[in-house]
Amino acid sequence: MVSEDDLRTVLEELHRLRTRVPQLTGALVAGVDGLVVAHDTPGVDPEGLAALTAAALGVSVRVADATGNGGLRELLVRGERGYVATYAAGRSAVLTLLAQDRVNVGRLHLEGRRSGALIGELLDAAEAAAAQAAPARPSAPPAPARTRTTRTPRTTTARTTTDS
């Protein structure tokens, strides 16, 4: 679980990123499971975008793996009116940026990679701290042993062609 302070820090980074790259029209941080962590996406449904990002990420990871190019670092989609860029952000999150068609793609990558790394470090540290702070769960009591009933063998009375 990410604290309110960490979420505020992530959202502030998204705002700073949009200031550094004025052609950005939106920014979203989501878990690889498709759940929204933080967003600054006016006019775009963040839950839908996070779910679509997770789906695209799944396919992209498989393509990168199948081609032997290693783990996924980023994904860039160019549409008629702009770009959607997704960057790895730590072990369990991604940063998705929406940009106008006139964006400098090199600058988009530079800033997206930096922000993805920063956000990833923050979320990974928060996840590690939460794991250490969580009390150990008591293990569930063992399930009772199942007993098997013996089955009686089937007997058939049907005759085959080899019977005489």
Side-chain angles (χ1 to χ4, degrees):
M1 188 72 164
V2 180
S3 73
E4 288 295 319
D5 287 339
D6 291 335
L7 288 177
R8 189 173 13 266
T9 303
V10 170
L11 194 54
E12 288 169 358
E13 176 58 23
L14 295 181
H15 290 299
R16 284 191 300 270
L17 179 59
R18 291 202 51 201
T19 300
R20 291 190 309 265
V21 184
Q23 295 81 18
L24 286 183
T25 59
L28 168 115
V29 176
V32 293
D33 57 2
L35 297 177
V36 175
V37 174
H39 69 91
D40 181 12
T41 56
V44 177
D45 172 36
E47 287 83 15
L49 180 59
L52 288 171
T53 297
L57 182 67
V59 171
S60 300
V61 165
R62 291 186 67 180
V63 168
D65 187 47
T67 57
N69 288 328
L72 179 76
R73 297 285 202 180
E74 57 199 43
L75 170 67
L76 180 68
V77 176
R78 181 178 182 205
E80 291 176 356
R81 290 183 292 279
Y83 294 88
V84 178
T86 300
Y87 303 92
R91 292 186 304 270
S92 60
V94 292
L95 168 65
T96 296
L97 304 177
L98 309 176
Q100 299 169 355
D101 190 39
R102 61 188 176 91
V103 71
N104 178 323
V105 177
R107 180 73 188 262
L108 176 68
H109 284 319
L110 176 70
E111 297 294 346
R113 290 170 187 152
R114 284 181 181 169
S115 289
L118 179 76
I119 291 168
E121 288 173 8
L122 178 72
L123 294 178
D124 287 349
E127 186 177 297
Q132 287 181 343
R137 289 185 182 174
S139 59
R146 294 179 71 187
T147 58
R148 295 185 76 168
T149 57
T150 56
R151 297 175 100 185
T152 56
R154 288 187 177 173
T155 57
T156 59
T157 55
R159 295 177 55 122
T160 63
T161 57
T162 58
D163 292 339
S164 350

